[in-house]
Amino acid sequence: MAAVKVINHIPLVPHLPKDVPLPPSPPESTSPPPPVKKKTRKNKTKEKEKVKEGMQGIKRQGEQERGNANEQQESEMSQPEPLKPLTWTSLTDSNSNSHPPIFTKDGSHFFSIIGERIKIHSTSSGKVVSTLPGPQDDGHQDIITSAILSAHNAFQLITASLDGTIKVWDFLEGILLRTINLEQPIHHVCGHEKIKDYVFVATAKAKKKGSSAVDEQPKPNRSAKAPPEESCIILRVSLKPQNPASGAKWHKSSQITPVGKTRYTAGLAVSASGEWLVAVAGHKAYVAQVSALKSGFTKYVSPDALTCLAVHPLEDYFVTGDAKGVVRLWYCLNQGRPAVANVEKRSQTSELHWHAHAVSSVAFTTNGAYLLSGGEEAVLVIWQLHSGKKEFVPRVGSPIKSVVVSRSSAAEEEYLLGLADASFAFVSSATLKLSRVFSRIKLDPVTSSSWASSSSATPLAVHSLSSTLILPSSHPSSLQTYSPSSSTLVAELEVSPTNRVSRQDEKMLEPSRVERVVISQSGEWMATIDRREGDESFRGEIYLKIWWWDKKSAFWILNTRVDRPHGLNKVTSISFSPSDDIQLVTTGEDRNVKTWRIRSTKDKKGNVEVSWTSRSSFGFRLETPRDSTWSPDGSLLAVALDASVALYDSISNALQSTIVCSECPKISSIHFIGHHGHYIAVLGGPNLVVCDIINRSVRWHRRHDHPYVTLVPHPYQDTFATIHHSPSDTTNGLMVYSISSSTPLLSQTLPFGIRNLVWYPAPNRFARSRMFSLVGITHAFGVVLLGHDISIADEASSTKVLQKGQTVPKRSLFEEMFGAPALTDVSHNAVSSTIDTSLPWKSSETGSVFDTPAYLMPPMESLFDPLINSFLKLRLKENMDEEHQSGTQGVSDEMTAEPMDTEEPAFIEMGKVSADDILDTFIPFFKDITGLPDYPFHSDTRPVALTLPTTPSSHHAKPAPRTVASQKPNPDASSKKQASAPSVPAKTGKKRSRHSLA
């Protein structure tokens, strides 16, 4: 079928002479007519102007009539009312894991710094249990740079920020105690238990007089290389305010002592003895004696720039990491103080070198025998200091930003890794394996920005069946599934298995990255495009992968892989059809449009295998297709060409029509608008065009001052939202249009840039309304939710009072040896019984579990319950009642049980028995086994079961209390008892034997 090009945007309606209205008749006048003047040259020109004006008036009147006719046709689509501005909330945390977390003294919780807030996490579950500041307190006004526990009160937290303030918090109650204002940005803070009421801080050097502290704070668009160019001043600050009774919100410190000037500090700490202050900055390590701060620093030169610092917990020496990956131990704290202040010296050091890139963090274990280091390689290295041997924990998931050791004495020592993708990973010190990982959305802004390019798209989709988001992960070859309703990371899918090595030397390796992802309307199929650029030694790769959603495992399974669907050319678009006969369309820079369909085959056993295969391939002249989209009913396929839109039949692939958009010379994307799909919105640079496919005409055109980024149509209304660039790189403009007019219904500025934006399904009560619900990825690789009615569970919205002390009681020596006693109090195990984190036990794993050395195995009680529960089925109360009724019905009246003397229960509640009584019961048993003499017991004496007084039975009188037999037994009597009956009466339906114990 030939293409129909629409040239005239507004159809021309011819006007006949009868349609032209006549001029009004002149009013009747009694005065004589005016005299006729001669026609001069001036009069002729005036008459010509009047005739011209009359013709223009007739033309304007005709256009007005045509406009009135169009308005009558569009009466049903009148201009709607303006919309309310959209609100947004961020699903990702800013500045996550840029600072090391802090453990509480008992190790039950840890603190993480998130921008201007402090989140308190549970060590066991990783959930946020509280936040600082609370709604009643004033928090920091800028980013928190450092935090430590108070040296004299383990339940107080000290934080420092770029706003120049030091705040002391009571994190148990969640309240602010006091604020010390230094009026200078603070980068580091440290303290020691021997330095009472003092802390050491590293502040930015003050500028000239007249500049405020606000001017010294770093700007939001400040580059990452700016802080190392600054210089810092180390101060000793007293936490006691000058005038504590003034009642002001903040106070000045009562005493501030300057120590010395350094470059931008990478670390600040006090030695284990509390006698030395150490700071690392640039290529130097600065050491000062705490008792003689006026002498200043002694400088020790490093061959490379230092990046991190840690002091030994028991001895006076420290360790640093540098930009070349070298871990260096410094033995310079016991050297004599030089006579001249601020001199440079050399020190005795030892090197540990494995890292290929810069070391991000170093930390000592609690006993100081091991050293931990991590960096860009995503590998935790454990160094044994006395031998120099090392062990590794590889593939932790993302580059390591911080390493912290849990110093809890009640549990096993663990290593907490703060990863670059905002995750926290715990490593067991016994097995050197990841024990648990806590994360929300795994995105690393620095790594993702370095891998992202302007030409590549950012994958983003919504899965309707699971109500989750499909987002790019911390590595570009993977995707992650995130649930906004529960604020949890559901799963991570490795689309293209790749090596996680970041780079060789200084050149970044080109990874395989996922460029596009799209999910079918039913949520059963997902298609991805992953590509890797080629170079001199490697040929490029590009794959189309189609995944099937497994409802049982709730995970995506790879169904079909197509190698080079458009050759080595880039795929420009991909989309599923919404019809029942589902199809997939892809367009590429090879100038082809390809469709794919489902193919079902049967094997010899009759099993049906489903896969995807090529259906058709076609093109339009020599033009390159830029985008493609399906109509809401799936009957039409629209393909965006260079300056036109081609409409194809979805079944026969026949070209139905072509709409030429001369206003948009280079189309970038197209979208069907409305639930009926009568209109198409076209984006291309700064141009926005709305076309009517019924009349095959351009409805209206709008040209913006800045280019458009993306467009998202409303699924039920004839409206759509657009994102366009702004003069500032950090902001974008959002506009909402209706198909009836080019005047926007809403126009607002977003304080972030948008890379990709999709529709997020709103609640059912707002599904058919005019409200918008969107989710997008920003330029800083943050995830934001935009809409008119945003409701999302915020795990850190409130400040709660924490429980003081350990949540789980410490086990006794007896419990460490033999496990928890059988006679235990219910309230004692209330914490452990409420949370069951054990996985189902598999019988095939039974033998391999016990191959582990005994000192590395978990306690026996943690293995016993999962093993027994896997073999035994819990009997419900309803089943027990049915069995009891069926059992009683089958018993005849002749077989009624005789009355018997029922013994009292042998055990009572644990609360009525002390631990000493239980231990005293087992002492004779242990001595009998070891053969130790114990009067009045003998070697042939057997222990008798302990029976304690209990409440009397309802049918019998209360028996006399019994005690443990302590007399020497008669050999003859004992032999008779052994021959006649057991020592403990059996609970049967018969009467008690006369040979049993009285």
Side-chain angles (χ1 to χ4, degrees), residues 765-778:
R765 62 181 184 274
F766 300 116
R768 302 284 177 176
S769 65
R770 300 172 58 214
M771 295 184 179
F772 275 80
S773 179
L774 308 171
V775 62
I777 299 180
T778 65

Side-chain angles (χ1 to χ4, degrees), residues 612-630:
W612 287 75
T613 184
S614 177
R615 178 181 179 271
S616 62
S617 178
F618 56 92
F620 185 86
R621 299 176 181 175
L622 296 178
E623 296 188 19
T624 301
R626 304 293 179 184
D627 193 15
S628 62
T629 182
W630 298 85

Side-chain angles (χ1 to χ4, degrees), residues 387-447:
S387 63
K389 295 181 179 179
K390 53 185 176 293
E391 295 182 272
F392 305 96
V393 182
R395 294 180 69 92
V396 297
S398 185
I400 300 174
K401 290 295 184 181
S402 62
V403 181
V404 182
V405 179
S406 174
R407 304 182 184 274
S408 174
S409 59
E412 175 190 357
E413 188 175 77
E414 291 182 316
Y415 313 140
L416 176 57
L417 309 180
L419 305 182
D421 60 358
S423 302
F424 292 104
F426 280 87
V427 178
S428 173
S429 61
T431 61
L432 295 183
K433 295 181 179 180
L434 292 175
S435 58
R436 55 193 183 278
V437 179
F438 307 133
S439 59
R440 293 183 63 184
I441 295 181
K442 301 174 66 174
L443 277 177
D444 181 10
V446 178
T447 307

Side-chain angles (χ1 to χ4, degrees), residues 49 440 462 585 684 788:
E49 291 177 358
R440 293 183 63 184
V462 178
V585 62
H788 289 102

